[in-house]
Amino acid sequence: MPPSFKDRVVVVTGATSGIGRATALRFAAAGARVVAAGRDQRRLAALAPDVDCALTLDVTSAEGLAIFTAAVLDRYGGVDVLVNNAGVGLFKSWDNTDEAALRRVMEVNLFGAVAVARAFLPSLIARKGVLVQIASVAGKRGYPKHTAYCAAKHGLVGWSEALRHDLRGTGCDVVVVCPPAVRTPFFENAGYLTFDEDHPGFVPMTADIAAAGILDATAARSRTAVLSPRARALYALSVVAPGALEAIQRWKGRG
Ligand SMILES: NC(=O)c1ccc[n+]([C@@H]2O[C@H](COP(=O)([O-])OP(=O)(O)OC[C@H]3O[C@@H](n4cnc5c(N)ncnc54)[C@H](OP(=O)(O)O)[C@@H]3O)[C@@H](O)[C@H]2O)c1
């Protein structure tokens, strides 16, 4: 039985595509009043009938975030769940990643996510709510050609785990979600067009399955949710035998 979020106010960033869109729809189906946020106006308008409201948000714009936060708090009075999902990929070796590209990935995946969290934390604390950070398995270990992306996602995981200490006793929980590869436009948007060729036989998770995992982790207020048994096994291996995992990655040319 899927968890109920009846009348909970749930903000989902990056809701115009992939995991964010599937998560917004699942929360709406579970009874939540969903605020779907994104930049793409056409996709926001298409989502609007299925959620409580759809609002523009570029997480890298301080001014835009202030307008968005004020609009949400004005309309709902507070927020119970923030799904900090907006993100971009970059899959190039370190010497093909210039500083501008590194900063772009950090701006969205780390500084943008942290800014949105900071904007809503007073409200989440007041409501003993849940901050759901969509990180990645790449926030837990290194992958070939992922230096910028791993740096940003490790940063988000570290910030979130430290934040959990600071929030102790407030009743507000931090859930770190680490999806494995999920079938969305994410890799294509990052210009990584050979994902399927590079991963023969590998079947990425669907966005809807990832979204179901995100709702379960939110309901359970899990500390960390690594969303597939395979990813959990590889993460465990990276902790107990990091050299063995790196050898497997080198052999396969990937994670
Ligand atoms: N797909 C995977 O394999 C995978 C695996 C692990 C973790 N993740 C993480 O899951 C999250 C969602 O990824 P996805 O696979 O669903 O990718 P996606 O389909 O490309 O969707 C990314 C979403 O992020 C939004 N976004 C990008 N830049 C933004 C910005 N500056 N401000 C606001 N929104 C922005 C996009 O909105 P607009 O287009 O409207 O700008 C879009 O809705 C990301 O954080 C990603 O790192 C993905």
Side-chain angles (χ1 to χ4, degrees):
M1 173 106 164
S4 168
F5 289 90
K6 189 151 175 41
D7 294 333
R8 297 284 177 223
V9 178
V10 177
V11 173
V12 182
T13 68
T16 53
S17 177
I19 297 170
R21 183 175 180 280
T23 302
L25 293 174
R26 277 214 171 236
F27 270 112
R33 290 186 286 163
V34 173
V35 181
R39 294 177 307 177
D40 186 292
Q41 296 304 311
R42 192 180 48 80
R43 284 185 273 132
L44 260 186
L47 185 60
D50 299 319
V51 293
D52 210 65
C53 92
L55 295 177
T56 304
L57 175 66
D58 179 336
V59 300
T60 65
S61 161
E63 195 190 352
L65 177 57
I67 293 168
F68 175 81
T69 309
V72 172
L73 296 181
D74 190 47
R75 180 166 175 157
Y76 295 97
V79 167
D80 298 291
V81 176
L82 167 62
V83 184
N84 224 343
N85 166 78
V88 292
L90 182 65
F91 307 106
K92 290 182 174 169
S93 60
W94 70 274
D95 48 346
N96 284 313
T97 304
D98 63 19
E99 189 176 330
L102 172 62
R103 286 185 184 276
R104 262 198 312 280
V105 173
M106 295 298 239
E107 282 300 336
V108 180
N109 294 359
L110 179 59
F111 296 120
V114 168
V116 180
R118 289 173 62 90
F120 285 102
L121 268 169
S123 178
L124 290 170
I125 291 167
R127 292 213 179 181
K128 299 189 188 311
V130 189
L131 171 62
V132 183
Q133 305 282 60
I134 307 302
S136 169
V137 290
K140 289 285 193 181
R141 63 185 173 96
Y143 285 78
K145 298 186 179 156
H146 274 59
T147 50
Y149 187 69
C150 280
K153 291 295 187 180
H154 274 69
L156 184 63
V157 171
W159 189 82
S160 306
E161 291 184 348
L163 175 70
R164 194 179 285 128
H165 286 286
D166 292 355
L167 294 181
R168 203 162 160 212
T170 65
C172 173
D173 288 305
V174 181
V175 172
V176 173
V177 178
C178 297
V182 180
R183 179 70 71 196
T184 71
F186 177 72
F187 295 105
E188 201 181 317
N189 290 344
Y192 183 9
L193 303 177
T194 57
F195 180 89
D196 288 323
E197 266 169 56
D198 292 348
H199 300 76
F202 177 74
V203 180
M205 178 177 273
T206 65
D208 196 48
I209 297 284
I214 290 166
L215 264 72
D216 286 345
T218 307
R221 294 179 176 244
S222 309
R223 301 169 65 77
T224 302
V226 179
L227 291 187
S228 80
R230 177 182 181 278
R232 282 193 288 279
L234 289 173
Y235 174 58
L237 187 60
S238 75
V239 174
V240 297
L245 181 63
E246 279 172 22
I248 293 173
Q249 288 180 301
R250 274 199 301 279
W251 170 55
K252 294 225 173 213
R254 62 175 168 94

